Amino acid sequence: MENEDVLILAIESSCDETAAAVVKNGREVLSSIISSQIALHTVYGGVVPEIASRKHIEKINQVIEAALREANVKLKDITAIAVTYGPGLVGALLVGVSTAKAISLASGIPLIGVHHIEGHINANYIENKELEPPYICLVVSGGHSHLVIVKDYGEYEILGKTRDDAAGEAFDKVARAIGLGYPGGPKIDKVSKEGNADAIHFPRAKVVDSVYDFSFSGLKSAVLNYLNSCEMKGIPVCQADVAASFQKAVVDVLVEHSMNAVEEHGLRKFAIAGGVASNTSLREAFIRECSARKIDFYCPSPIFCTDNAAMIGVAGYYEYRKGVRHGYDLNAVPNLRLGENYE
Ligand code: KG4
Ligand code: ZN
């Protein structure tokens, strides 16, 4: 058994992507299928949880079948089934968890519940075969902003997190305010390329009692105040300048906190993860800073930054190796914290 390949069938349905993947020995993605619901939610300006759950139910079986087909494997070849059980939208998570439990029960293949944020961090192992813990990772997604030390596989020390809005949430809210709509992050990324990032100075918030914590709600309010004052004074708003200046404020804070953490902890390896990690300007800033400081920088390709099941398969593999197996009492945990395990 020890010399056999470990094939993980992974399932992810925590938000608005229905995804399944097959991952071999933790680092080789044999297939990664993502069915995005973005077009469905765009008309509402954000993710509607009820619609997300219903769409997951419609799509999940097809997506899993496609993942097995594309990987050219049969269910009987699968070593374990890994599924995201939190954090996320409870109704959306339940679809993946129930499906994984049903397949596991029917086939006898072991079940492993995976933490969504751990999945994001583990996405770094897919294309960076040499990357191993310990290192520092910045996880920035729609619901989370964490700066962590990855001490070992599945072992994390949280250095800082957001006190209010997540980085992605700030992108989405500002995008809506300047008329770009949902999904905000990619749209701000694109339009910023035509704007002047130094046109407007927005605040870089500091959290007084915790140097690594983030706060983005003040920045969001500063953008809203700027838009209101322009309207009152009859000054036209340059969408690209606001987008670029806001993006620069976020990037500056993320880079400063991360580089301070890397320097203070003496680890010369740094990675980024989560949907916001696909941001062009953020990636460029980290490449520049890390190269100047002689720090090895790692990031997943954009397709593995935003939600996908391949990252869940990677995290599931390392859980499998540690002997983690879950029973059929595994449930969706919408507020699951990093480092918390299912009891
Ligand atoms: O990791 P993810 O796909 O889902 C969560 O776990 O939340 O992250 C989604 C978030 C959204 O807020 C989206 O606007 C943001 O990531 N995002 C971006 C970019 N692509 C996605 N933010 C900035 N620049 C991007 N290119
Ligand atoms: Zn995510």
Side-chain angles (χ1 to χ4, degrees), residues 14-15 17 116-117 120 140-144 167-169 171-172 183-186 189 247 274-280 305-307:
S14 66
C15 191
E17 327 278 354
H116 182 75
I117 303 298
H120 274 303
V140 269
S141 71
H144 304 269
E169 201 177 341
F171 269 93
D172 294 336
D189 192 349
Q247 181 175 269
V276 182
S278 59
N279 183 271
T280 322
C305 287
T306 43
D307 287 349

mmCIF file of all heavy atoms in Angstrom, residues 14-15 17 116-117 120 140-144 167-169 171-172 183-186 189 247 274-280 305-307, ligand 1:
data_model
loop_
_atom_site.group_PDB
_atom_site.id
_atom_site.type_symbol
_atom_site.label_atom_id
_atom_site.label_comp_id
_atom_site.label_asym_id
_atom_site.label_seq_id
_atom_site.Cartn_x
_atom_site.Cartn_y
_atom_site.Cartn_z
ATOM 1 N N SER A 14 -18.144 25.820 -1.513
ATOM 2 C CA SER A 14 -18.378 26.704 -0.358
ATOM 3 C C SER A 14 -19.015 28.041 -0.705
ATOM 4 O O SER A 14 -19.595 28.691 0.135
ATOM 5 C CB SER A 14 -17.071 26.946 0.388
ATOM 6 O OG SER A 14 -16.183 27.678 -0.412
ATOM 7 N N CYS A 15 -18.901 28.456 -1.986
ATOM 8 C CA CYS A 15 -19.477 29.758 -2.355
ATOM 9 C C CYS A 15 -20.197 29.646 -3.702
ATOM 10 O O CYS A 15 -21.219 28.981 -3.787
ATOM 11 C CB CYS A 15 -18.382 30.819 -2.347
ATOM 12 S SG CYS A 15 -19.029 32.486 -2.476
ATOM 13 N N GLU A 17 -18.761 28.601 -6.784
ATOM 14 C CA GLU A 17 -18.174 27.725 -7.804
ATOM 15 C C GLU A 17 -18.455 26.284 -7.383
ATOM 16 O O GLU A 17 -18.186 25.910 -6.243
ATOM 17 C CB GLU A 17 -16.639 27.859 -7.906
ATOM 18 C CG GLU A 17 -16.055 29.223 -7.627
ATOM 19 C CD GLU A 17 -16.124 30.150 -8.815
ATOM 20 O OE1 GLU A 17 -16.529 29.679 -9.886
ATOM 21 O OE2 GLU A 17 -15.800 31.336 -8.666
ATOM 22 N N HIS A 116 -11.461 25.212 4.001
ATOM 23 C CA HIS A 116 -11.345 25.952 2.734
ATOM 24 C C HIS A 116 -10.077 26.827 2.664
ATOM 25 O O HIS A 116 -9.395 26.867 1.627
ATOM 26 C CB HIS A 116 -12.604 26.821 2.560
ATOM 27 C CG HIS A 116 -12.647 27.592 1.292
ATOM 28 N ND1 HIS A 116 -12.928 27.022 0.072
ATOM 29 C CD2 HIS A 116 -12.420 28.902 1.034
ATOM 30 C CE1 HIS A 116 -12.885 27.945 -0.867
ATOM 31 N NE2 HIS A 116 -12.575 29.106 -0.309
ATOM 32 N N ILE A 117 -9.756 27.495 3.764
ATOM 33 C CA ILE A 117 -8.579 28.384 3.762
ATOM 34 C C ILE A 117 -7.288 27.559 3.672
ATOM 35 O O ILE A 117 -6.324 27.967 3.008
ATOM 36 C CB ILE A 117 -8.558 29.269 5.038
ATOM 37 C CG1 ILE A 117 -9.852 30.080 5.151
ATOM 38 C CG2 ILE A 117 -7.344 30.188 5.068
ATOM 39 C CD1 ILE A 117 -10.092 31.038 4.029
ATOM 40 N N HIS A 120 -6.776 26.935 0.133
ATOM 41 C CA HIS A 120 -6.160 28.068 -0.579
ATOM 42 C C HIS A 120 -4.637 28.063 -0.379
ATOM 43 O O HIS A 120 -3.879 28.233 -1.328
ATOM 44 C CB HIS A 120 -6.745 29.393 -0.087
ATOM 45 C CG HIS A 120 -8.011 29.792 -0.792
ATOM 46 N ND1 HIS A 120 -8.077 29.949 -2.156
ATOM 47 C CD2 HIS A 120 -9.260 30.047 -0.324
ATOM 48 C CE1 HIS A 120 -9.314 30.300 -2.504
ATOM 49 N NE2 HIS A 120 -10.050 30.358 -1.412
ATOM 50 N N VAL A 140 -5.649 35.991 1.082
ATOM 51 C CA VAL A 140 -6.591 37.096 0.878
ATOM 52 C C VAL A 140 -7.696 36.672 -0.086
ATOM 53 O O VAL A 140 -7.448 36.477 -1.267
ATOM 54 C CB VAL A 140 -5.867 38.374 0.357
ATOM 55 C CG1 VAL A 140 -5.430 39.253 1.502
ATOM 56 C CG2 VAL A 140 -4.672 38.063 -0.544
ATOM 57 N N SER A 141 -8.898 36.513 0.479
ATOM 58 C CA SER A 141 -10.004 36.062 -0.373
ATOM 59 C C SER A 141 -11.204 36.956 -0.151
ATOM 60 O O SER A 141 -11.098 38.030 0.451
ATOM 61 C CB SER A 141 -10.330 34.601 -0.043
ATOM 62 O OG SER A 141 -10.930 34.548 1.227
ATOM 63 N N GLY A 142 -12.379 36.511 -0.616
ATOM 64 C CA GLY A 142 -13.580 37.321 -0.473
ATOM 65 C C GLY A 142 -14.070 37.381 0.965
ATOM 66 O O GLY A 142 -14.695 38.348 1.383
ATOM 67 N N GLY A 143 -13.771 36.352 1.737
ATOM 68 C CA GLY A 143 -14.261 36.316 3.112
ATOM 69 C C GLY A 143 -13.169 36.378 4.163
ATOM 70 O O GLY A 143 -13.466 36.492 5.358
ATOM 71 N N HIS A 144 -11.895 36.279 3.752
ATOM 72 C CA HIS A 144 -10.812 36.154 4.740
ATOM 73 C C HIS A 144 -9.555 36.916 4.337
ATOM 74 O O HIS A 144 -9.222 36.993 3.170
ATOM 75 C CB HIS A 144 -10.440 34.674 4.928
ATOM 76 C CG HIS A 144 -11.612 33.859 5.317
ATOM 77 N ND1 HIS A 144 -11.949 33.628 6.615
ATOM 78 C CD2 HIS A 144 -12.580 33.287 4.564
ATOM 79 C CE1 HIS A 144 -13.070 32.939 6.657
ATOM 80 N NE2 HIS A 144 -13.477 32.706 5.419
ATOM 81 N N ALA A 167 -10.086 41.572 2.395
ATOM 82 C CA ALA A 167 -9.547 42.338 1.268
ATOM 83 C C ALA A 167 -10.455 42.227 0.032
ATOM 84 O O ALA A 167 -10.780 43.233 -0.608
ATOM 85 C CB ALA A 167 -8.136 41.861 0.946
ATOM 86 N N GLY A 168 -10.888 41.008 -0.270
ATOM 87 C CA GLY A 168 -11.741 40.795 -1.447
ATOM 88 C C GLY A 168 -13.081 41.498 -1.311
ATOM 89 O O GLY A 168 -13.629 42.019 -2.293
ATOM 90 N N GLU A 169 -13.587 41.499 -0.076
ATOM 91 C CA GLU A 169 -14.854 42.168 0.205
ATOM 92 C C GLU A 169 -14.721 43.673 -0.088
ATOM 93 O O GLU A 169 -15.627 44.288 -0.654
ATOM 94 C CB GLU A 169 -15.125 41.959 1.695
ATOM 95 C CG GLU A 169 -16.535 42.100 2.145
ATOM 96 C CD GLU A 169 -16.618 41.773 3.648
ATOM 97 O OE1 GLU A 169 -15.699 41.126 4.214
ATOM 98 O OE2 GLU A 169 -17.614 42.189 4.255
ATOM 99 N N PHE A 171 -12.630 45.057 -2.207
ATOM 100 C CA PHE A 171 -12.608 45.186 -3.675
ATOM 101 C C PHE A 171 -14.039 45.158 -4.216
ATOM 102 O O PHE A 171 -14.416 45.972 -5.058
ATOM 103 C CB PHE A 171 -11.808 44.032 -4.308
ATOM 104 C CG PHE A 171 -10.345 44.336 -4.507
ATOM 105 C CD1 PHE A 171 -9.403 43.993 -3.541
ATOM 106 C CD2 PHE A 171 -9.901 44.957 -5.658
ATOM 107 C CE1 PHE A 171 -8.055 44.272 -3.719
ATOM 108 C CE2 PHE A 171 -8.556 45.241 -5.861
ATOM 109 C CZ PHE A 171 -7.627 44.900 -4.887
ATOM 110 N N ASP A 172 -14.837 44.203 -3.732
ATOM 111 C CA ASP A 172 -16.201 44.044 -4.255
ATOM 112 C C ASP A 172 -17.071 45.250 -3.927
ATOM 113 O O ASP A 172 -17.842 45.718 -4.761
ATOM 114 C CB ASP A 172 -16.826 42.748 -3.698
ATOM 115 C CG ASP A 172 -16.099 41.507 -4.203
ATOM 116 O OD1 ASP A 172 -15.455 41.575 -5.263
ATOM 117 O OD2 ASP A 172 -16.155 40.459 -3.527
ATOM 118 N N PRO A 183 -18.255 40.537 -10.479
ATOM 119 C CA PRO A 183 -17.366 40.458 -9.334
ATOM 120 C C PRO A 183 -16.332 41.602 -9.359
ATOM 121 O O PRO A 183 -15.706 41.854 -10.386
ATOM 122 C CB PRO A 183 -16.688 39.100 -9.510
ATOM 123 C CG PRO A 183 -16.705 38.864 -10.998
ATOM 124 C CD PRO A 183 -17.869 39.618 -11.555
ATOM 125 N N GLY A 184 -16.188 42.269 -8.248
ATOM 126 C CA GLY A 184 -15.427 43.505 -8.201
ATOM 127 C C GLY A 184 -13.934 43.384 -8.401
ATOM 128 O O GLY A 184 -13.334 44.199 -9.109
ATOM 129 N N GLY A 185 -13.328 42.378 -7.776
ATOM 130 C CA GLY A 185 -11.863 42.260 -7.814
ATOM 131 C C GLY A 185 -11.280 42.280 -9.217
ATOM 132 O O GLY A 185 -10.472 43.157 -9.555
ATOM 133 N N PRO A 186 -11.689 41.347 -10.065
ATOM 134 C CA PRO A 186 -11.117 41.305 -11.414
ATOM 135 C C PRO A 186 -11.387 42.587 -12.192
ATOM 136 O O PRO A 186 -10.561 43.021 -12.993
ATOM 137 C CB PRO A 186 -11.822 40.114 -12.071
ATOM 138 C CG PRO A 186 -12.389 39.311 -10.963
ATOM 139 C CD PRO A 186 -12.596 40.223 -9.801
ATOM 140 N N ASP A 189 -9.039 45.314 -10.957
ATOM 141 C CA ASP A 189 -7.716 44.927 -11.462
ATOM 142 C C ASP A 189 -7.545 45.443 -12.902
ATOM 143 O O ASP A 189 -6.560 46.112 -13.246
ATOM 144 C CB ASP A 189 -7.623 43.386 -11.412
ATOM 145 C CG ASP A 189 -6.218 42.858 -11.628
ATOM 146 O OD1 ASP A 189 -5.340 43.641 -12.027
ATOM 147 O OD2 ASP A 189 -5.995 41.648 -11.407
ATOM 148 N N GLN A 247 -6.770 50.398 -5.118
ATOM 149 C CA GLN A 247 -6.001 49.145 -5.227
ATOM 150 C C GLN A 247 -4.602 49.328 -4.644
ATOM 151 O O GLN A 247 -4.085 48.455 -3.934
ATOM 152 C CB GLN A 247 -5.923 48.734 -6.695
ATOM 153 C CG GLN A 247 -5.165 47.443 -6.930
ATOM 154 C CD GLN A 247 -5.236 47.028 -8.391
ATOM 155 O OE1 GLN A 247 -6.118 46.309 -8.803
ATOM 156 N NE2 GLN A 247 -4.289 47.495 -9.182
ATOM 157 N N GLY A 274 -5.510 32.682 -2.256
ATOM 158 C CA GLY A 274 -6.868 33.247 -2.218
ATOM 159 C C GLY A 274 -7.159 34.078 -3.457
ATOM 160 O O GLY A 274 -6.245 34.473 -4.181
ATOM 161 N N GLY A 275 -8.433 34.367 -3.670
ATOM 162 C CA GLY A 275 -8.865 35.075 -4.880
ATOM 163 C C GLY A 275 -8.117 36.366 -5.154
ATOM 164 O O GLY A 275 -7.734 36.639 -6.292
ATOM 165 N N VAL A 276 -7.875 37.172 -4.118
ATOM 166 C CA VAL A 276 -7.194 38.467 -4.309
ATOM 167 C C VAL A 276 -5.726 38.260 -4.722
ATOM 168 O O VAL A 276 -5.111 39.145 -5.321
ATOM 169 C CB VAL A 276 -7.313 39.346 -3.035
ATOM 170 C CG1 VAL A 276 -6.655 40.700 -3.212
ATOM 171 C CG2 VAL A 276 -8.773 39.515 -2.632
ATOM 172 N N ALA A 277 -5.179 37.081 -4.427
ATOM 173 C CA ALA A 277 -3.789 36.792 -4.819
ATOM 174 C C ALA A 277 -3.642 36.722 -6.333
ATOM 175 O O ALA A 277 -2.526 36.709 -6.854
ATOM 176 C CB ALA A 277 -3.322 35.484 -4.182
ATOM 177 N N SER A 278 -4.773 36.701 -7.059
ATOM 178 C CA SER A 278 -4.652 36.719 -8.525
ATOM 179 C C SER A 278 -4.527 38.153 -9.032
ATOM 180 O O SER A 278 -4.362 38.371 -10.231
ATOM 181 C CB SER A 278 -5.840 36.002 -9.181
ATOM 182 O OG SER A 278 -7.039 36.628 -8.813
ATOM 183 N N ASN A 279 -4.596 39.130 -8.148
ATOM 184 C CA ASN A 279 -4.504 40.544 -8.559
ATOM 185 C C ASN A 279 -3.123 40.875 -9.147
ATOM 186 O O ASN A 279 -2.090 40.656 -8.512
ATOM 187 C CB ASN A 279 -4.795 41.444 -7.346
ATOM 188 C CG ASN A 279 -4.784 42.907 -7.716
ATOM 189 O OD1 ASN A 279 -3.756 43.563 -7.674
ATOM 190 N ND2 ASN A 279 -5.928 43.412 -8.110
ATOM 191 N N THR A 280 -3.138 41.417 -10.345
ATOM 192 C CA THR A 280 -1.894 41.683 -11.080
ATOM 193 C C THR A 280 -0.948 42.591 -10.310
ATOM 194 O O THR A 280 0.256 42.312 -10.200
ATOM 195 C CB THR A 280 -2.213 42.377 -12.424
ATOM 196 O OG1 THR A 280 -3.401 41.820 -12.956
ATOM 197 C CG2 THR A 280 -1.097 42.241 -13.418
ATOM 198 N N CYS A 305 -5.818 30.390 -7.605
ATOM 199 C CA CYS A 305 -6.006 31.363 -6.507
ATOM 200 C C CYS A 305 -7.480 31.454 -6.151
ATOM 201 O O CYS A 305 -7.851 31.414 -4.982
ATOM 202 C CB CYS A 305 -5.517 32.752 -6.922
ATOM 203 S SG CYS A 305 -3.730 32.911 -7.000
ATOM 204 N N THR A 306 -8.324 31.602 -7.172
ATOM 205 C CA THR A 306 -9.767 31.667 -6.911
ATOM 206 C C THR A 306 -10.259 30.243 -6.619
ATOM 207 O O THR A 306 -9.534 29.269 -6.809
ATOM 208 C CB THR A 306 -10.496 32.287 -8.123
ATOM 209 O OG1 THR A 306 -9.951 31.725 -9.309
ATOM 210 C CG2 THR A 306 -10.301 33.788 -8.173
ATOM 211 N N ASP A 307 -11.511 30.143 -6.160
ATOM 212 C CA ASP A 307 -11.994 28.843 -5.665
ATOM 213 C C ASP A 307 -11.898 27.725 -6.708
ATOM 214 O O ASP A 307 -12.285 27.899 -7.865
ATOM 215 C CB ASP A 307 -13.444 28.994 -5.185
ATOM 216 C CG ASP A 307 -13.500 29.745 -3.870
ATOM 217 O OD1 ASP A 307 -12.435 29.958 -3.256
ATOM 218 O OD2 ASP A 307 -14.615 30.117 -3.461
HETATM 219 O O1 KG4 B 1 -10.852 32.851 -2.884
HETATM 220 P P1 KG4 B 1 -12.057 33.312 -3.576
HETATM 221 O O2 KG4 B 1 -12.321 32.829 -4.977
HETATM 222 O O3 KG4 B 1 -13.346 33.006 -2.745
HETATM 223 C C1 KG4 B 1 -13.382 33.082 -1.353
HETATM 224 O O4 KG4 B 1 -12.943 32.115 -0.690
HETATM 225 O O5 KG4 B 1 -13.818 34.162 -0.873
HETATM 226 O O6 KG4 B 1 -11.984 34.903 -3.570
HETATM 227 C C2 KG4 B 1 -12.958 35.693 -4.154
HETATM 228 C C3 KG4 B 1 -12.559 37.132 -3.955
HETATM 229 C C4 KG4 B 1 -13.623 38.122 -4.416
HETATM 230 O O7 KG4 B 1 -13.792 39.110 -3.425
HETATM 231 C C5 KG4 B 1 -13.015 38.694 -5.678
HETATM 232 O O8 KG4 B 1 -13.424 40.023 -5.942
HETATM 233 C C6 KG4 B 1 -11.530 38.634 -5.355
HETATM 234 O O9 KG4 B 1 -11.356 37.422 -4.681
HETATM 235 N N1 KG4 B 1 -10.708 38.641 -6.574
HETATM 236 C C7 KG4 B 1 -9.833 39.623 -6.873
HETATM 237 C C8 KG4 B 1 -9.299 39.311 -8.147
HETATM 238 N N2 KG4 B 1 -9.856 38.134 -8.566
HETATM 239 C C9 KG4 B 1 -10.720 37.749 -7.585
HETATM 240 N N3 KG4 B 1 -9.478 40.718 -6.199
HETATM 241 C C10 KG4 B 1 -8.572 41.541 -6.762
HETATM 242 N N4 KG4 B 1 -8.017 41.321 -7.979
HETATM 243 C C11 KG4 B 1 -8.351 40.217 -8.708
HETATM 244 N N5 KG4 B 1 -7.798 40.004 -9.894
#
